[in-house]
Each structure stands twice: as C-alpha cells, then as structure tokens.
Amino acid sequence: MNNIADTRGIYSFRFSPTILKAYKTPKPKTNSFQLIYKATFAMGIPIAPLNARSSCALFLAKIWCWSIFLYKTVALLISFSHVYRMLPGYASPFAFYFFDSFSYISMVTFILQRRKIYSATKTAVDLAARIDPSMFVGSKTIQYEILLLVMSSLTVISIFIIFFFYQEWESYIKILQAPLPAHQYTYTWIVVFSVVSHHACSFITCFLSVLLCYNSFLAAGGLVNAYAESIRFMTSRNALIRSLGLFRELCRGVQKIDAAFNSCVFFLFGTVVGNFFAAISVLFSESVSFQTPVARTYVGFTLLGGFGIIFLLTTGGNTVSEGQRRLKLALLEDSKKIAGLSPDVVRTFTMLSDNIRDFKLAVTGCEMFTVDKGLALTVGGMIITYSFLLFQFSGKPFTT
C-alpha cells in the first residue's frame, strides 16, 4: 500500500502544485467520469490527479485517503473477529465475510491500478473527441446514478442500524464479552459500530465499482459504435488510411479499458454471485433473527441490488460486442461501393477490413469470461437452479 502516495500528481510531496496543473481531469460536460472521480475520492480511493493549489491541500488529501484506508482495515479486523458470533447459522456469516473481503480487495485493486484506470478513461475521452466531438462519454444519467448511490447507502445504513443496534442489541450485550477491562456497553458499541460502518463502506465501494466499470464499458462501446458510423460509405484512399490508424488506436483504447477493469469485474461478479447464494440461503433460514421485517427487507434489497449489478455490467459490456457487429455491417456496406474503385483504394480497404476482422473487441473478467448479455443468462440460470435445489431440500411445502 506504499503506492498510495506515489501516483503522479496525486497526494505526493515530491510534485509541486505547478506540475499538478498539467494533469487536467476530463471536463464534466463531455463525460461522466468527473463525478465518479469525486465520489471515489470521498471514499478514500484516489484515481484522478488532483488540481491542488497549495501543499496544504495535498497534505490534507493524503491524510484523508490514508485515514479512510486505515479505518477500513481496522474495522475489517474487528468485524471479522466477532461477526461469526453475532449472526446465526452459516449462510449469513459466509455472506458477510465473502462480501466484505471482496469489497476490500476491490478497494485495494482500485488503489493499485489507479494510474491504469485513469489512463484508460482519459484515452477514451480523447478518442471520442477525435471520432465524434459531440459524443458524451459514459452514461448520460450519471447524476441520477450518483443520487441513487446516496439514497441506497442511506437505506442500507438505516437497515443496519435498526437490525444491529435495536433488534439484536440486547443479545449482543450478552454474547460479546469484553476481553479487556473495559465497560461492556462501550466494548459492544465499538464492535457493533465497526460491523455496521465497515459493511456500509463495503456496499458503497461495491456500488462505486459498478458505476466506474459500467461507465467505462459504455465509453468503450460508444467509441466503437461512433467509429462504425464514421467509416460508412468511405470511398477516399486518404480517408481509409486515416480510419485504419484510428482503428488501431481504438483497439488499444478498448484493450486498455479491459486491462484496467478486468480484475475489478471478476471480483464484482464473485461478490454478487456469492451474495445471491447467501441471500437465498437466508430466505430459507429458520432463525428467529431473520424472520423480522427488517431482515427480510435487507435480503430483498440485496437480491434486487445483485440483479441490478448484473444488468448494468452486462449491458455496458454488451455495447462493445454490439459495436463490433456494427463495424462488420459498415464494412459490408462499404465493400459494395469499393469494388468498382481503383486498386489502391481496394487495397487500403482490404487492409482496414483485415484489421477489423482480426481484432476481437470485448471486455472480460480476468480474461476468463466475456461481459455481455449471455453472461447474465448464465448467472441467472445458476441462481434459479440453486434456489430450486435449496427449496427442495428445505422440505417446505408450496403455499397459496
């Protein structure tokens, strides 16, 4: 984690404010990443370079990021050492450990790959300005997505407070015995607060990861679709040569986005699938603690959020695959007009066609699976199969 202070122009005393001004973040009017960068910085994850005008601002930013990271680490250790006694059964502690572990890993991954992430998104913004200056890079509804993040976070925090501090508080007073000569109430409050705060931070981190991946995938897909429109009905050799060079830059841009986010996508899908299985298991739990409205509300909220994550990621990733399909259609339309032109034009067009056919444009999860709509069907099939198996083994009859 020593790299957290070594980013070029981010929270480091080795760079002066004058140098920092050279690294400008994309304008918020043309892309959605500026708001996401601010949201991630608020959670202690520095991605974009900071335009600071004084060393004091750099120092405060550095202290903020380190403080958030250290707090999450300490809260994680406290939570993991007590939660197995606080949650009944096996499914709910597994869901807690699984979700919080993967969220923590995602946070560390974002910090370690922040340069690669910023470079990939900046490349997408720069390419969009060259292909179609009027194109908005990312999701046009980013303001509503950030608002949804805030409202969802407040809802989750409220559910946690009601469940841990009110519904189960008396049982925690008896279960959590202070190992040190400390007041029992104070010790219990510290443990429960650590569990609630860290789980809420894990939820926010997961949500931010989804927004960043989703907007980056939309940016990559938008670039491919805009390029497909730009090469339609080209008959000039010079235009085809420029398009060939631009396509190679486009391929490198999409590959940079995939390289920057494929590990994050892998952890996200692992987190979501694990939470699906755990939430469904909790639904069939006979524990009294999970038969209350607040517990059922949280399980329903978890399932709804999981489906939303799967939908957003696969929709965003599918735009890249759809863009490649449009590229092939554009080539087919061009080939009808190119056939009767000069040999130089035909030769250049053939080179462009070969390049487009050779490159596979897609976003993946650690190159183990392609993120598209087919993945959503696969995950949905797994969840439905597990639900029916668990229902069958539970021995509960159908009720009408």
Side-chain angles (χ1 to χ4, degrees):
M1 292 308 300
N2 294 329
N3 292 333
I4 194 172
D6 295 340
T7 304
R8 295 197 319 169
I10 304 181
Y11 322 133
S12 176
F13 296 110
R14 296 180 296 172
F15 299 92
S16 65
T18 304
I19 296 178
L20 285 172
K21 294 179 182 179
Y23 300 98
K24 295 182 179 180
T25 52
K27 296 180 180 180
K29 292 183 179 180
T30 59
N31 65 86
S32 61
F33 294 109
Q34 181 67 10
L35 283 176
I36 299 178
Y37 292 153
K38 291 180 180 179
T40 53
F41 174 74
M43 291 301 299
I45 305 175
I47 294 180
L50 180 67
N51 265 334
R53 297 187 178 182
S54 65
S55 298
C56 181
L58 290 176
F59 177 76
L60 292 176
K62 181 179 178 180
I63 291 298
W64 169 256
C65 293
W66 271 111
S67 299
I68 295 295
F69 175 76
L70 293 176
Y71 173 76
K72 289 179 180 179
T73 303
V74 173
L76 177 72
L77 296 176
I78 296 175
S79 302
F80 276 27
S81 60
H82 293 86
V83 75
Y84 69 94
R85 292 183 292 175
M86 299 171 62
L87 297 177
Y90 297 100
S92 52
F94 168 78
F96 184 92
Y97 288 126
F98 197 89
F99 183 79
D100 283 26
S101 298
F102 272 66
S103 295
Y104 187 84
I105 294 173
S106 297
M107 178 192 68
V108 174
T109 302
F110 274 124
I111 293 174
L112 295 177
Q113 295 189 350
R114 61 195 179 278
R115 293 181 182 178
K116 188 182 293 186
I117 292 173
Y118 179 74
S119 176
T121 54
K122 189 175 185 302
T123 299
V125 173
D126 294 340
L127 276 175
R130 295 173 57 187
I131 297 175
D132 183 4
S134 64
M135 182 177 66
F136 187 88
V137 184
S139 174
K140 295 182 179 180
T141 59
I142 183 61
Q143 294 89 347
Y144 300 103
E145 293 166 8
I146 296 295
L147 179 61
L148 180 62
L149 167 63
V150 174
M151 299 303 296
S152 301
S153 302
L154 293 176
T155 303
V156 168
I157 292 173
S158 301
I159 292 174
F160 289 164
I161 291 175
I162 295 173
F163 182 84
F164 286 97
F165 279 99
Y166 291 95
Q167 178 179 312
E168 302 295 320
W169 177 255
E170 295 299 329
S171 63
Y172 294 155
I173 291 288
K174 301 175 183 178
I175 294 173
L176 301 175
Q177 299 297 326
L180 301 175
H183 193 274
Q184 181 63 32
Y185 181 90
T186 303
Y187 179 79
T188 304
W189 191 92
I190 292 174
V191 172
V192 175
F193 180 80
S194 298
V195 172
V196 171
S197 60
H198 188 269
H199 202 58
C201 288
S202 298
F203 172 83
I204 298 172
T205 301
C206 182
F207 204 128
L208 285 173
S209 301
V210 173
L211 288 185
L212 189 52
C213 292
Y214 172 64
N215 281 268
S216 300
F217 294 167
L218 285 184
L223 287 175
V224 179
N225 285 304
Y227 179 80
E229 292 297 325
S230 68
I231 66 172
R232 287 182 181 274
F233 310 112
M234 279 191 175
T235 56
S236 169
R237 181 175 180 273
N238 292 333
L240 288 172
I241 292 175
R242 287 194 298 269
S243 297
L244 179 60
L246 192 58
F247 176 75
R248 291 171 178 171
E249 292 186 45
L250 174 65
C251 290
R252 287 194 291 268
V254 175
Q255 289 173 349
K256 287 179 67 174
I257 289 177
D258 179 52
F261 293 101
N262 57 19
S263 58
C264 300
V265 171
F266 178 80
F267 290 129
L268 274 175
F269 271 95
T271 303
V272 171
V273 172
N275 266 340
F276 269 132
F277 291 159
I280 294 171
S281 300
V282 169
L283 282 177
F284 291 95
S285 174
E286 296 181 357
S287 173
V288 177
S289 299
F290 295 138
Q291 303 300 323
T292 59
V294 63
R296 296 296 185 181
T297 301
Y298 176 70
V299 171
F301 191 82
T302 301
L303 292 175
L304 181 62
F307 283 117
I309 291 173
I310 296 294
F311 174 78
L312 287 177
L313 291 180
T314 54
T315 301
N318 195 72
T319 58
V320 182
S321 302
E322 181 67 19
Q324 189 170 33
R325 187 186 68 83
R326 292 187 178 182
L327 271 177
K328 294 179 180 180
L329 290 176
L331 284 177
L332 182 61
E333 294 177 3
D334 285 349
S335 63
K336 299 176 182 178
K337 293 185 176 292
I338 296 294
L341 299 180
S342 65
D344 289 341
V345 176
V346 174
R347 190 180 306 112
T348 306
F349 177 78
T350 302
M351 292 176 58
L352 178 61
S353 301
D354 292 341
N355 275 264
I356 292 177
R357 293 191 182 96
D358 291 340
F359 280 96
K360 182 181 179 181
L361 301 175
V363 288
T364 64
C366 284
E367 299 183 357
M368 298 178 63
F369 54 84
T370 301
V371 182
D372 53 16
K373 290 184 178 179
L375 182 61
L377 296 177
T378 302
V379 175
M382 291 171 54
I383 295 168
I384 293 173
T385 302
Y386 179 75
S387 302
F388 275 107
L389 287 175
L390 196 62
F391 180 82
Q392 187 175 13
F393 284 118
S394 67
K396 294 182 179 181
F398 284 102
T399 57
T400 57

